[in-house]
Amino acid sequence: QVQLVESGGGAVQPGRSLRLSCRASGFSFRSYGMHWVRQAPGKGLEWVALIWYDGIKKDYADSVKGRFTIARDNSNNTLSLQMNSLRAEDMAVYYCARDLGGGDYYVFDYWGQGTLVTVSS
Amino acid sequence: EYVLTQSPGTLSLSPGERATLSCRASQTLSYDYLAWYQQKPGQAPRLLIYGASTRATGIPDRFSGTGSGADFTLTISRLEPEDFAVYYCQQHDSSPRTFGQGTKVEIK
């Protein structure tokens, strides 16, 4: 069965960096686009970033563009999110999610359990 | 940017009743690319519907999606105890892909 397991969350001060990882199993990882979606405490969902199945095309929300970098390693079935210059408003549970297709659906058909990022001085 | 407005904010119903959730877009979607997700406390969201009316794999047929243009509806024909949750709509039509603020379906 499809499994997505995030790691790397934690507490960090504003302006610092953090790297999230997502390990995928149970499907052909190299065939699917992958996303990061976040949810601030008690709030709704916000799409963050997408990487196409082949890693060539990427897309970011304006709120993170220039600060976050999405990447993937298809040989190890892993997805990552490098987050730099973190702000208080980046505090959220970060979910990795699979795209319904190669990256052009922006429909999230499987989700990980999420990893919490806390940004506070 | 498409703004999605969900109504009502909270729906109080009893098991066995019909639930009707609304999602309105600030502009007409080009391709009726509207998805619905269910989220229970402490859990990740689960995809229910995409393309306005296509049920995702494994989703019971008591969940149905309708609508086009700017007005969309998620209907749960007969509420089961496990259906009490928060429901989000999301447009997968144009950048940036956005979510509604959610509708909570609670037990009356």
Side-chain angles (χ1 to χ4, degrees):
Chain A
Q1 73 282 20
V2 174
Q3 276 202 310
L4 299 169
V5 180
E6 301 95 337
S7 60
V12 64
Q13 294 178 325
R16 303 299 291 263
S17 298
L18 205 60
R19 185 174 183 270
L20 306 182
S21 294
C22 172
R23 179 169 294 277
S25 60
F27 66 102
S28 176
F29 181 72
R30 65 180 65 247
S31 298
Y32 288 87
M34 295 296 297
H35 302 263
W36 289 98
V37 179
R38 69 185 180 184
Q39 186 170 35
K43 301 296 184 182
L45 300 163
E46 179 187 16
W47 171 78
V48 173
L50 154 74
I51 186 166
W52 275 47
Y53 68 101
D54 55 5
I56 292 177
K57 185 174 177 180
K58 303 176 184 181
D59 192 16
Y60 298 93
D62 286 346
S63 58
V64 307
K65 202 169 291 184
R67 299 188 299 122
F68 290 12
T69 302
I70 190 171
R72 66 189 298 156
D73 179 349
N74 283 346
S75 60
N76 288 305
N77 293 351
T78 57
L79 174 73
S80 65
L81 185 69
Q82 177 67 41
M83 304 185 296
N84 297 333
S85 303
L86 281 161
R87 304 168 180 168
E89 55 265 34
D90 295 320
M91 184 162 67
V93 173
Y94 283 74
Y95 296 100
C96 79
R98 192 182 81 167
D99 190 85
L100 194 61
D104 53 352
Y105 278 82
Y106 287 81
V107 173
F108 319 113
D109 64 348
Y110 287 94
W111 300 62
Q113 86 288 351
T115 188
L116 176 63
V117 173
T118 302
V119 183
S120 174
S121 53
Chain B
E1 172 176 325
Y2 289 108
V3 176
L4 300 181
T5 302
Q6 293 186 241
S7 61
T10 302
L11 200 50
S12 298
L13 295 168
S14 300
E17 290 194 294
R18 182 184 189 89
T20 303
L21 287 68
S22 173
C23 178
R24 177 164 292 178
S26 57
Q27 308 165 54
T28 299
L29 301 187
S30 302
Y31 300 103
D32 294 342
Y33 286 169
L34 195 287
W36 291 93
Y37 300 85
Q38 175 195 68
Q39 187 177 34
K40 298 178 183 178
Q43 296 186 18
R46 177 173 72 142
L47 175 66
L48 301 174
I49 302 283
Y50 63 93
S53 60
T54 302
R55 266 190 303 275
T57 303
I59 300 303
D61 60 7
R62 64 180 182 273
F63 292 92
S64 63
T66 57
S68 64
D71 288 300
F72 299 87
T73 300
L74 174 70
T75 301
I76 310 171
S77 59
R78 289 180 318 279
L79 282 164
E80 297 288 341
E82 62 267 27
D83 298 337
F84 292 91
V86 178
Y87 292 82
Y88 294 96
C89 60
Q90 175 233 343
Q91 61 85 11
H92 53 104
D93 190 289
S94 302
S95 286
R97 275 67 174 183
T98 49
F99 290 87
Q101 83 282 12
T103 289
K104 181 179 182 180
V105 178
E106 65 176 22
I107 299 176
K108 186 174 181 179

